[in-house]
Protein backbone atom coordinates (compact mmCIF):
# COMPACT_ATOMS: atom_id res chain seq x y z
CA UNK A 1 0.00 0.00 0.00
CA UNK A 2 1.09 3.54 -0.68
CA UNK A 3 0.66 5.63 2.41
CA UNK A 4 1.56 9.17 3.36
CA UNK A 5 5.21 8.19 3.69
CA UNK A 6 5.47 6.90 0.10
CA UNK A 7 7.99 8.47 -2.22
CA UNK A 8 7.12 10.55 -5.27
CA UNK A 9 8.23 7.61 -7.45
CA UNK A 10 5.74 5.35 -5.65
CA UNK A 11 3.01 7.93 -6.16
CA UNK A 12 3.69 8.31 -9.88
CA UNK A 13 3.95 4.53 -10.29
CA UNK A 14 0.57 4.11 -8.59
CA UNK A 15 -1.03 6.71 -10.88
CA UNK A 16 0.48 5.08 -13.96
CA UNK A 17 -0.85 1.68 -12.87
CA UNK A 18 -4.28 3.26 -12.27
CA UNK A 19 -4.23 4.81 -15.74
CA UNK A 20 -3.08 1.61 -17.47
CA UNK A 21 -5.69 -0.62 -15.90
CA UNK A 22 -8.51 1.91 -16.20
CA UNK A 23 -9.29 1.85 -12.51
CA UNK A 24 -8.22 4.46 -9.97
CA UNK A 25 -9.12 4.35 -6.30
CA UNK A 26 -9.00 7.93 -5.14
CA UNK A 27 -7.36 8.37 -1.79
CA UNK A 28 -4.99 5.42 -2.23
CA UNK A 29 -1.96 7.69 -2.56
CA UNK A 30 -1.04 11.07 -1.10
CA UNK A 31 0.57 14.26 -2.36
CA UNK A 32 0.44 16.00 -5.70
CA UNK A 33 0.10 13.65 -8.65
CA UNK A 34 2.08 14.93 -11.62
CA UNK A 35 0.14 12.72 -14.02
CA UNK A 36 -3.41 13.43 -12.85
CA UNK A 37 -2.43 17.00 -11.85
CA UNK A 38 -4.49 16.73 -8.66
CA UNK A 39 -3.82 16.69 -4.97
CA UNK A 40 -4.63 13.34 -3.43
CA UNK A 41 -5.20 12.68 0.23
CA UNK A 42 -4.29 9.49 2.00
CA UNK A 43 -6.85 7.23 3.67
CA UNK A 44 -4.37 6.96 6.52
CA UNK A 45 -4.41 10.69 7.33
CA UNK A 46 -7.96 10.65 8.71
CA UNK A 47 -9.23 12.93 5.93
CA UNK A 48 -10.57 10.09 3.79
CA UNK A 49 -14.37 10.05 3.96
CA UNK A 50 -15.22 7.34 1.48
CA UNK A 51 -14.20 5.57 -1.67
CA UNK A 52 -14.59 6.67 -5.25
CA UNK A 53 -13.75 4.11 -7.88
CA UNK A 54 -13.40 5.34 -11.47
CA UNK A 55 -13.44 2.69 -14.15
CA UNK A 56 -14.52 1.91 -17.69
CA UNK A 57 -15.24 -1.11 -19.83
CA UNK A 58 -12.49 -2.30 -22.14
CA UNK A 59 -14.59 -4.53 -24.37
CA UNK A 60 -14.36 -3.42 -28.00
CA UNK A 61 -18.05 -3.99 -28.74
CA UNK A 62 -21.49 -4.29 -27.17
CA UNK A 63 -24.70 -6.09 -28.12
CA UNK A 64 -27.85 -4.16 -28.98
CA UNK A 65 -30.56 -5.02 -26.43
CA UNK A 66 -33.29 -4.90 -29.12
CA UNK A 67 -31.87 -6.93 -32.02
CA UNK A 68 -28.92 -8.67 -30.32
CA UNK A 69 -26.37 -7.70 -32.98
CA UNK A 70 -22.88 -6.64 -31.96
CA UNK A 71 -21.69 -3.10 -32.67
CA UNK A 72 -18.25 -1.47 -32.46
CA UNK A 73 -19.35 2.00 -33.60
CA UNK A 74 -19.21 4.35 -30.59
CA UNK A 75 -21.68 7.23 -30.75
CA UNK A 76 -20.95 9.00 -27.45
CA UNK A 77 -19.60 8.60 -23.91
CA UNK A 78 -20.93 9.72 -20.54
CA UNK A 79 -20.20 9.18 -16.86
CA UNK A 80 -22.55 7.15 -14.71
CA UNK A 81 -22.40 7.01 -10.91
CA UNK A 82 -23.47 3.93 -8.95
CA UNK A 83 -23.73 3.73 -5.18
CA UNK A 84 -22.17 0.53 -3.82
CA UNK A 85 -22.25 -1.24 -0.46
CA UNK A 86 -20.19 0.35 2.26
CA UNK A 87 -16.61 -0.79 2.68
CA UNK A 88 -15.20 -0.65 6.18
CA UNK A 89 -18.10 1.57 7.24
CA UNK A 90 -17.37 4.13 4.52
CA UNK A 91 -19.52 4.88 1.45
CA UNK A 92 -18.33 3.74 -1.97
CA UNK A 93 -19.30 5.34 -5.28
CA UNK A 94 -18.40 3.75 -8.61
CA UNK A 95 -18.06 6.18 -11.51
CA UNK A 96 -18.27 4.38 -14.85
CA UNK A 97 -17.41 5.78 -18.25
CA UNK A 98 -20.27 4.36 -20.32
CA UNK A 99 -20.25 4.30 -24.10
CA UNK A 100 -23.32 4.70 -26.30
CA UNK A 101 -23.08 2.56 -29.42
CA UNK A 102 -24.80 2.94 -32.77
CA UNK A 103 -26.85 -0.05 -33.85
CA UNK A 104 -25.82 -0.67 -37.43
CA UNK A 105 -28.81 -2.89 -38.27
CA UNK A 106 -31.18 -1.07 -40.62
CA UNK A 107 -34.28 -2.93 -39.37
CA UNK A 108 -33.56 -2.33 -35.64
CA UNK A 109 -35.75 0.28 -33.91
CA UNK A 110 -32.87 1.27 -31.57
CA UNK A 111 -30.65 3.89 -33.15
CA UNK A 112 -28.24 4.05 -30.20
CA UNK A 113 -27.92 2.06 -26.99
CA UNK A 114 -25.83 2.24 -23.83
CA UNK A 115 -23.49 -0.59 -22.93
CA UNK A 116 -24.32 -2.58 -19.80
CA UNK A 117 -21.65 -4.25 -17.68
CA UNK A 118 -22.94 -7.70 -16.64
CA UNK A 119 -23.26 -8.10 -12.87
CA UNK A 120 -22.73 -4.38 -12.24
CA UNK A 121 -25.19 -2.29 -14.21
CA UNK A 122 -28.82 -2.48 -15.25
CA UNK A 123 -30.67 0.09 -17.32
CA UNK A 124 -31.43 3.25 -15.29
CA UNK A 125 -30.12 1.72 -12.01
CA UNK A 126 -28.36 3.97 -9.50
CA UNK A 127 -27.29 1.16 -7.18
CA UNK A 128 -25.08 -1.88 -7.68
CA UNK A 129 -26.80 -5.27 -7.34
CA UNK A 130 -25.11 -5.78 -3.95
CA UNK A 131 -26.48 -2.55 -2.47
CA UNK A 132 -29.87 -3.12 -4.13
CA UNK A 133 -30.01 -6.56 -2.48
CA UNK A 134 -29.25 -5.04 0.91
CA UNK A 135 -31.97 -2.44 0.41
CA UNK A 136 -34.42 -5.16 -0.64
CA UNK A 137 -33.72 -7.07 2.59
CA UNK A 138 -34.36 -3.91 4.63
CA UNK A 139 -37.58 -3.36 2.66
CA UNK A 140 -38.77 -6.91 3.40
CA UNK A 141 -38.53 -6.22 7.12
CA UNK A 142 -39.53 -2.55 7.28
CA UNK A 143 -40.94 -0.87 4.19
CA UNK A 144 -41.54 2.84 3.76
CA UNK A 145 -40.43 5.45 6.28
CA UNK A 146 -39.32 3.04 9.05
CA UNK A 147 -37.18 1.16 6.53
CA UNK A 148 -35.74 4.42 5.28
CA UNK A 149 -34.74 5.39 8.83
CA UNK A 150 -33.15 1.96 9.41
CA UNK A 151 -31.28 2.16 6.11
CA UNK A 152 -29.97 5.61 7.05
CA UNK A 153 -28.71 4.22 10.38
CA UNK A 154 -26.96 1.43 8.43
CA UNK A 155 -25.29 4.01 6.18
CA UNK A 156 -27.54 3.63 3.14
CA UNK A 157 -29.38 6.92 2.68
CA UNK A 158 -32.46 6.09 0.63
CA UNK A 159 -35.98 7.45 0.16
CA UNK A 160 -39.07 5.52 1.26
CA UNK A 161 -40.26 5.11 -2.34
CA UNK A 162 -36.95 3.54 -3.31
CA UNK A 163 -37.44 0.92 -0.61
CA UNK A 164 -40.94 0.16 -1.86
CA UNK A 165 -39.73 -0.46 -5.43
CA UNK A 166 -38.26 -3.98 -4.78
CA UNK A 167 -41.47 -4.98 -2.99
CA UNK A 168 -43.60 -3.79 -5.90
CA UNK A 169 -41.41 -5.68 -8.37
CA UNK A 170 -41.72 -8.87 -6.30
CA UNK A 171 -45.50 -8.39 -6.08
CA UNK A 172 -45.82 -7.96 -9.86
CA UNK A 173 -43.77 -11.16 -10.38
CA UNK A 174 -45.97 -13.03 -7.90
CA UNK A 175 -49.22 -11.84 -9.51
CA UNK A 176 -47.93 -12.65 -13.01
CA UNK A 177 -46.97 -16.16 -11.87
CA UNK A 178 -50.39 -16.79 -10.30
CA UNK A 179 -52.29 -15.46 -13.32
CA UNK A 180 -50.18 -17.57 -15.64
CA UNK A 181 -50.78 -20.63 -13.46
CA UNK A 182 -54.57 -20.12 -13.53
CA UNK A 183 -54.79 -19.42 -17.26
CA UNK A 184 -52.80 -22.52 -18.21
CA UNK A 185 -55.46 -24.87 -16.79
CA UNK A 186 -53.34 -26.27 -13.98
CA UNK A 187 -56.21 -26.35 -11.46
CA UNK A 188 -55.69 -30.04 -10.81
CA UNK A 189 -58.52 -31.44 -12.97
Amino acid sequence: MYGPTGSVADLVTRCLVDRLYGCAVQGACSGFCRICRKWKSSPYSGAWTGGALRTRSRTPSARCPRCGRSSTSVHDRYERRLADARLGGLPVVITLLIRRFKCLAADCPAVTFAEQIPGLTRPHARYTPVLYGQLARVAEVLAGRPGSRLARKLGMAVAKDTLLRPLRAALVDLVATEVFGLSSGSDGS
Side-chain angles (χ1 to χ4, degrees):
M1 290 301 271
Y2 298 98
T5 60
S7 68
V8 175
D10 289 340
L11 177 67
V12 172
T13 303
R14 173 64 186 209
C15 291
L16 281 173
V17 167
D18 291 345
R19 292 253 175 182
L20 288 173
Y21 291 103
C23 172
V25 179
Q26 295 178 5
C29 51
S30 63
F32 183 74
C33 175
R34 294 180 185 185
I35 296 173
C36 299
R37 303 230 182 260
K38 295 180 184 175
W39 283 96
K40 294 187 175 185
S41 64
S42 170
Y44 309 108
S45 66
W48 192 61
T49 58
L53 179 69
R54 298 181 57 88
T55 187
R56 65 184 175 91
S57 174
R58 292 190 176 260
T59 58
S61 64
R63 291 202 174 274
C64 176
R66 296 258 180 117
C67 66
R69 293 187 182 131
S70 182
S71 176
T72 58
S73 178
V74 177
H75 173 70
D76 195 12
R77 290 177 176 83
Y78 66 94
E79 282 192 351
R80 182 174 175 186
R81 295 168 45 107
L82 295 171
D84 197 12
R86 294 174 72 85
L87 181 65
L90 298 173
V92 177
V93 176
I94 300 172
T95 304
L96 296 168
L97 182 65
I98 299 292
R99 297 172 293 181
R100 289 195 66 80
F101 286 90
K102 294 178 191 174
C103 185
L104 302 176
D107 58 338
C108 182
V111 178
T112 63
F113 61 93
E115 69 180 331
Q116 299 296 325
I117 300 171
L120 185 62
T121 61
R122 292 183 323 243
H124 310 291
R126 295 176 183 233
Y127 305 108
T128 61
V130 173
L131 182 58
Y132 190 76
Q134 290 176 352
L135 292 172
R137 285 191 289 276
V138 169
E140 288 173 2
V141 177
L142 296 171
R145 287 192 181 113
S148 178
R149 286 193 295 268
L150 176 63
R152 189 174 301 115
K153 293 278 187 191
L154 294 173
M156 302 177 282
V158 66
K160 64 179 178 62
D161 293 326
T162 305
L163 279 179
L164 293 173
R165 206 167 290 130
L167 295 177
R168 288 185 188 127
L171 183 62
V172 168
D173 289 343
L174 180 65
V175 169
T177 303
E178 287 181 8
V179 169
F180 179 72
L182 290 175
S183 65
S184 66
S186 61
D187 58 349
S189 55

